[in-house]
Amino acid sequence: MKTYDETVAAIHALPRLAKTGGHERILALLHALGDPQHDRYVHVTGTNGKGSTASGIAHIMEASGLKVGLYTSPFIMRFNERIMIDHQPIPDADLVAAAATTDAAMAKLRETDPDFGVTEFEYITALAFWYFHQQQVDLAVIEVGIGGDTDSTNVITPEVSVITSVGLDHAKLLGHTIKSVATHKAGIIKPQRPVVTAALPADAMAAVKKRVAETGSQWLVAGQNFGTSRAALDGWGQRFDYQAGTFHLSQVFVPLVGDYQVQNAALAIAASRVAAKAMNWPLQPQEIRRGLAKNTWPARMEKLSDDPLIVIDGGHNPQGIAAMLSAVKQVFNDERVTLIVGVLADKDVATIIAELEASTARLWLVPVPDNPRAEALADYPDAGKLRTFASWQEALAAHLDEFPDEPVVLTGSLYLASAVRQTLLGSQR
C-alpha cells in the first residue's frame, strides 16, 4: 500500500482536464465503488461564497446532532481539508485506505476497458463520496468544482441545491456572459428538489427561473423568501437578524467579516432549514446559532496577526475582489491599507487590476508562488507604474518596514493566500 505522500502525489499526477465534459467516467467509477452518490446531500455552487456557505450549512447541521460530511476545494493548508466529517479532515490513514479502494475499482474497470481513466477532480470526488458512505454520514455538503451542470459532483440528487452568486469566471468553460454562467450553475437543480439562491443579476435570475420551470422545483430567493437586517460588525465578525416568514432569529453571530458573509450565512440558514425538513429532522433555532458561531473559513478576509495587522483573502476574480474591497472598507474605514496582490494569468487580470487601482488602497504586485499559471510581473497591466516585488515575502517585509502601523491584505488568488498562511502559521502536519 502507498504511503500518505505517495497517495497524494499519485492523485495530483492525474490529468486536470478531460476531452469531454460528461459524467460517464465518474459514474462508471462510482458504480464500481457501490454507487455512494445515492446518499443524502446538499449541493452548493456559485462564483464566490460557496465554500463559506457550504461550511455554514455543515456547521449548522452538525450542531443539530447529525454526522456531516463536507467536500470543498481547493485546500489551503493540507490536501485532507477537502474531505471532512464534522469539520475534521480525513485522517491520513483513511485517505490512504480510501485511495487504495478507489485504485482497486479503477483496476477492475480497466480489465474490460484498458484505456479507462479519470481526471484528478473526478477521482477525488468519487473517493469522497465513497468515504462519506463508508463512514455512514447522515448528510454530506458538496461544493461544486466549476460551474454546475457538467461538474463531476453533479451526479447526486440533493435534498436542496444552493446558488450563492453568479459572476464572470472560468470563461473558457462557462462562457463570457452572466446568462451562460448562470445556465451552467442552474444545472445542479434537480426535478422536484428545492433550490435556494442569493438575489442574482437579472440575466442569472432568468436562467434559474427557466431551470426551475423545467424541474418543478421550489425556489427560495434571498430578499424575497428570506432575508437579513440590522447587520453590524462585532469584533472580527458580524451580528444580524434573520427572518423567513414567521421564523425569526435576532442577533445571530458569524465570525466572518464582509457584507457578503452575512448573505452567505442567510443562505446557509435557509438551506439548512430546507434540508432538515426534507429529512424530517428537528432543527432548532439555538442549533442554527451555535453552528454559525463556529463558521470560520480560512483565507476569506482572515486575520492572521493583530500586531502587525496581517489579513489574507482568496479573492481571485472581479466579483471576489469587489467583495474584498468592500470588506476592507467595512473593517478599516478610511485607514490606509496596503494590498499585496498576486493573480493567475487565466483570470480577468485587467479588470481585477483596474478595480484595485480605483480603490484608495496602496497597490503592490507580486507573482503567485510555485504556480505555472501565475501572471508574470512584467505582464500585469500598469506594471510599469505600480510597485512590484519578486515575492510576497519581499513585499510584506517592505510594508512592515515602511508602514508598520498600517494593515496589510494579501489577496488575488487562493494559491497566494494558501502560501502565506502555510508560511506564517506553519504546515499543520
Side-chain angles (χ1 to χ4, degrees):
M1 186 174 287
K2 296 188 183 85
T3 65
Y4 170 81
D5 289 336
E6 289 169 342
T7 295
V8 174
I11 291 172
H12 288 328
L14 292 167
R16 289 190 71 241
L17 297 173
K19 293 180 180 178
T20 61
H23 295 123
E24 302 85 7
R25 295 176 304 277
I26 190 169
L27 284 173
L29 179 54
L30 285 167
H31 185 64
L33 288 168
D35 287 316
Q37 73 274 19
H38 298 314
D39 290 348
R40 289 188 180 274
Y41 295 99
V42 172
H43 207 184
V44 183
T45 192
T47 303
N48 296 98
K50 55 184 181 290
S52 302
T53 303
S55 177
I57 296 166
H59 268 303
I60 289 170
M61 301 307 275
E62 288 160 23
S64 75
L66 294 177
K67 184 177 184 180
V68 182
L70 178 62
Y71 178 55
T72 59
S73 59
F75 66 91
I76 302 298
M77 302 293 277
R78 290 193 80 213
F79 178 87
N80 305 47
E81 296 163 25
R82 296 187 60 177
I83 303 168
M84 296 199 279
I85 295 178
D86 292 344
H87 274 87
Q88 295 302 306
I90 181 172
D92 290 1
D94 286 7
L95 178 62
V96 169
T101 299
T102 307
D103 288 345
M106 291 278 291
K108 191 73 175 174
L109 289 163
R110 286 183 178 132
E111 289 178 5
T112 53
D113 180 4
D115 295 326
F116 182 82
V118 295
T119 66
E120 179 183 2
F121 190 69
E122 287 171 331
Y123 182 98
I124 301 168
T125 300
L127 183 155
F129 287 172
W130 176 86
Y131 182 67
F132 292 149
H133 180 79
Q134 192 262 341
Q135 293 292 315
Q136 298 182 316
V137 301
D138 299 303
L139 178 73
V141 184
I142 307 298
E143 178 191 337
V144 164
I146 294 175
D149 52 358
T150 61
D151 190 73
S152 301
T153 63
N154 199 30
V155 293
I156 57 178
T157 303
E159 305 303 321
V160 57
S161 300
V162 183
I163 303 177
T164 63
S165 64
V166 174
L168 297 178
D169 199 10
H170 302 292
K172 287 184 179 179
L173 296 173
L174 305 181
H176 296 269
T177 66
I178 291 293
K179 180 180 178 182
S180 174
V181 175
T183 299
H184 278 283
K185 295 188 186 303
I188 72 168
I189 303 170
K190 299 300 191 300
Q192 306 302 316
R193 297 298 174 107
V195 57
V196 174
T197 76
L200 305 171
D203 285 353
M205 293 292 271
V208 175
K209 183 177 181 180
K210 181 175 183 291
R211 178 65 179 171
V212 165
E214 294 167 354
T215 57
S217 301
Q218 177 195 22
W219 182 15
L220 301 180
V221 185
Q224 297 180 30
N225 306 100
F226 62 94
T228 64
S229 58
R230 297 204 305 154
L233 276 177
D234 183 348
W236 202 264
Q238 300 174 91
R239 291 191 183 276
F240 63 93
D241 293 353
Y242 175 89
Q243 49 281 320
T246 59
F247 182 80
H248 182 266
L249 290 171
S250 62
Q251 294 298 285
V252 180
F253 178 73
V254 60
L256 297 163
V257 299
D259 294 339
Y260 57 95
Q261 292 294 5
V262 171
Q263 301 165 24
N264 293 339
L267 289 169
I269 295 172
S272 296
R273 294 183 71 220
V274 171
K277 182 179 179 182
M279 298 172 68
N280 198 29
W281 184 251
L283 179 62
Q284 301 299 320
Q286 64 270 26
E287 295 163 349
I288 296 174
R289 292 180 181 278
R290 195 161 63 243
L292 282 180
K294 292 183 177 181
N295 191 32
T296 58
W297 197 237
R300 277 69 170 183
M301 281 300 291
E302 180 186 14
K303 183 168 60 172
L304 298 187
S305 168
D306 279 297
D307 186 17
L309 187 43
I310 301 172
V311 177
I312 58 172
D313 183 78
H316 58 277
N317 51 43
Q319 187 178 18
I321 291 296
M324 178 275 297
L325 290 172
S326 174
V328 165
K329 180 71 173 176
Q330 178 192 37
V331 296
F332 297 126
N333 296 310
D334 295 324
E335 188 174 3
R336 192 74 190 275
V337 177
T338 300
L339 299 179
I340 297 174
V341 177
V343 187
L344 296 181
D346 54 8
K347 299 296 180 180
D348 187 355
V349 182
T351 302
I352 288 172
I353 298 302
E355 188 141 14
L356 290 166
E357 286 188 285
S359 75
T360 59
R362 182 184 300 112
L363 176 58
W364 294 352
L365 301 178
V366 299
V368 178
D370 303 320
N371 196 306
R373 295 157 56 204
E375 180 83 335
L377 280 180
D379 293 336
Y380 277 111
D382 292 339
K385 69 177 185 179
L386 293 171
R387 196 165 171 185
T388 61
F389 296 83
S391 70
W392 67 263
Q393 292 95 328
E394 291 182 23
L396 181 58
H399 168 84
L400 296 178
D401 180 54
E402 298 171 31
F403 310 103
D405 298 323
E406 296 179 5
V408 58
V409 181
L410 295 101
T411 187
S413 169
L414 272 171
Y415 294 98
L416 173 63
S418 174
V420 176
R421 198 177 197 273
Q422 288 182 27
T423 301
L424 298 186
L425 298 187
S427 64
Q428 290 191 354
R429 283 294 304 259

